[in-house]
Amino acid sequence: MLILGIETSCDDTGAALYDAQRGLLAHRLHSQVELHRAYGGVVPELAARDHVHKLLPLVQVILDEAGATPGQVDGVAYTAGPGLTGALLVGASLGRALAWAWQVPAAGIHHMEAHLLAPMLESPAPAFPFLALLVSGGHTLLADVAGVGRYTVLGESLDDAVGEAFDKTAKILGLSYPGGPEIARVARSGVPRRFRFPRPMTDRPGLDFSFSGLKTHTLNTARAHDLDDAQTVADIAHAFQEAAVDTLTIKCRRALEATGHTRLVVAGGVGANTRLRERLAEMSAGVGADLFYPRPEFCTDNGAMVAYAGCVRLQAGEQVDTGFDVYPRWRLSDLPPVA
Ligand code: KG4
Ligand code: ZN
C-alpha cells in the first residue's frame, strides 16, 4: 500500500511517499522560516498562501524521486488538525482533490498522532505499549500509548507549550525566529549556574506542566541585565534551557515510575534539542528504560510522519468520509483506536 502524506498545519510544507512493504520512498520539506522571520513569528495568512504555492510542485517532486506515478498511489493522508485553519485547509483541499481524482481513499490525520508515530520510521522502532513525551510549538504532553489511537493523556501543559516558551524566550533575548534552535545554539557558550531558573510544578505531585512562569522569570532576569552583552544572553539562554529540560526530565522519570513502562518515546520539534536528548538518555539509563526518537528532521514537522500514520489507519480499513473538515483544536484522546 503506497500512501502520499501531506503536512501543512503550520509553517512547513511537507510531502512524502510511504509504502507499507518498502518503507519511506521519498520525502521533501519546504520551510517557511525565511518568509516569517521578518515578523518574528508565523503569520497565518502568509503561511496558508505559501502552502498553496509550494504543495502541488512538492508532490510532483516526490513522485518523480520515488519513480512513482499517481496510478500507483493507494491513498492520501493529510494533516487535518490541530493547527492553523487556513494552513490546514490547503493540505485538506489538495489531499481530498488528489484522492478524488485518483479514485483512492483519503484520511485526515491528527498532527500529534503523526508526531507520536514518527519513531516508527526508525530502526529499531519502539514496540507498544510505551510512554510518549510530545514536545512541540503547540503541545507539551505525556501520554500512555497502548497502540495506534489508544492514547491516555497523563499530563499536559496548563499554559504555554515548551516549544512556545523556547520561542518566546528567544524573542525576549533578541534572538531570531524560530527560537528553539537559536536558544540551543547560544546556550552552548553559557556559563553554567550564573543564573538558576525555577523548575515549574516539579515540587508537587502530578504530571502536568506549566511554562509561563518560567518565561516570566526569564523576562524579569532579562530586564535586570544588559542584553547588549552576548555573554549575558548566552548565560540566560543556558539557564532557561537547563530549567526547561530538567522539568521535562523530572516529569518523564515520574511518569515511567508511575506507569511501569520500560520504553520512552520522544517526539515533536523540541525533541530535536541535544541537551534534552542527553538528559533523557542519562535518566532512562538510570531507570532501565529504552529511549526512542525520530531522526532530528522527523522531530520537527514533516510529511513522512503523516504518510506513515495514514498508512496505518488506511491499512486498518478505517472508514473515511468525503468531507474536508479541519480541526484547529483536536484532542489526541478523541481519536478512534486502530484494531
Ligand atoms: O513539532 P514542531 O516542528 O511544530 C509544531 O507542531 O509546533 O515544533 C516546533 C517547535 C518550535 O517551538 C521550535 O522552536 C521548537 O520546536 N524546536 C526546538 C528545537 N528545534 C525546534 N526547541 C528546542 N531546541 C531545538 N533544537
Ligand atoms: Zn508539529
Side-chain angles (χ1 to χ4, degrees), residues 43-90:
V43 182
E45 179 62 27
L46 294 182
R49 288 189 213 177
D50 199 56
H51 289 310
V52 171
H53 290 299
K54 301 295 176 355
L55 184 55
L56 193 54
L58 210 59
V59 170
Q60 187 62 57
V61 168
I62 56 156
L63 282 168
D64 292 345
E65 276 183 6
T69 60
Q72 292 168 328
V73 176
D74 299 302
V76 180
Y78 60 89
T79 303
L84 303 171
T85 307
L88 289 166
L89 278 168
V90 178

Side-chain angles (χ1 to χ4, degrees), residues 9 12 111-112 115 135-138 163-164 166-167 178-181 184 241 268-270 272-274 299-301:
S9 68
D12 290 304
H111 182 73
M112 297 314 289
H115 271 305
V135 276
S136 72
E164 195 180 348
F166 268 90
D167 294 337
Q241 179 172 262
V270 184
N273 185 278
T274 312
C299 276
T300 43
D301 292 346

Side-chain angles (χ1 to χ4, degrees), residues 122-147:
E122 309 302 342
S123 177
F128 296 114
F130 55 73
L131 175 73
L133 172 70
L134 292 181
V135 276
S136 72
H139 295 79
T140 305
L141 61 87
L142 276 162
D144 193 320
V145 179

Side-chain angles (χ1 to χ4, degrees), residues 62-263:
I62 56 156
L63 282 168
D64 292 345
E65 276 183 6
T69 60
Q72 292 168 328
V73 176
D74 299 302
V76 180
Y78 60 89
T79 303
L84 303 171
T85 307
L88 289 166
L89 278 168
V90 178
S93 319
L94 187 74
R96 286 284 171 187
L98 290 176
W100 184 81
W102 297 345
Q103 298 289 297
V104 295
I109 298 298
H110 191 293
H111 182 73
M112 297 314 289
E113 173 173 80
H115 271 305
L116 195 155
L117 296 177
M120 297 299 184
L121 292 164
E122 309 302 342
S123 177
F128 296 114
F130 55 73
L131 175 73
L133 172 70
L134 292 181
V135 276
S136 72
H139 295 79
T140 305
L141 61 87
L142 276 162
D144 193 320
V145 179
V148 179
R150 296 168 65 203
Y151 313 126
T152 308
V153 175
L154 303 172
E156 58 192 320
S157 182
L158 305 177
D159 40 56
D160 292 357
V162 65
E164 195 180 348
F166 268 90
D167 294 337
K168 287 179 178 169
T169 296
K171 220 171 186 174
I172 291 168
L173 295 178
L175 302 173
S176 68
Y177 154 88
E182 278 295 285
I183 293 276
R185 183 181 63 79
V186 169
R188 269 187 239 126
S189 42
V191 175
R193 286 177 289 279
R194 175 172 168 204
F195 300 107
R196 185 179 158 85
F197 287 7
R199 274 65 173 154
M201 296 184 71
T202 53
D203 56 348
R204 65 191 94 160
L207 296 169
D208 285 334
F209 302 90
S210 164
F211 288 102
S212 73
L214 178 57
K215 180 193 63 196
T216 308
H217 189 94
T218 311
L219 181 63
N220 292 338
T221 308
R223 280 190 177 146
H225 291 84
D226 175 15
L227 295 185
D228 290 332
D229 177 31
Q231 188 60 52
T232 297
V233 169
D235 295 347
I236 295 175
H238 182 92
F240 167 82
Q241 179 172 262
E242 287 305 301
V245 163
D246 207 24
T247 304
L248 295 171
T249 308
I250 291 168
K251 292 290 166 86
C252 282
R253 184 196 178 111
R254 204 179 272 178
L256 284 171
E257 286 167 354
T259 57
H261 282 312
T262 55
R263 285 177 288 272

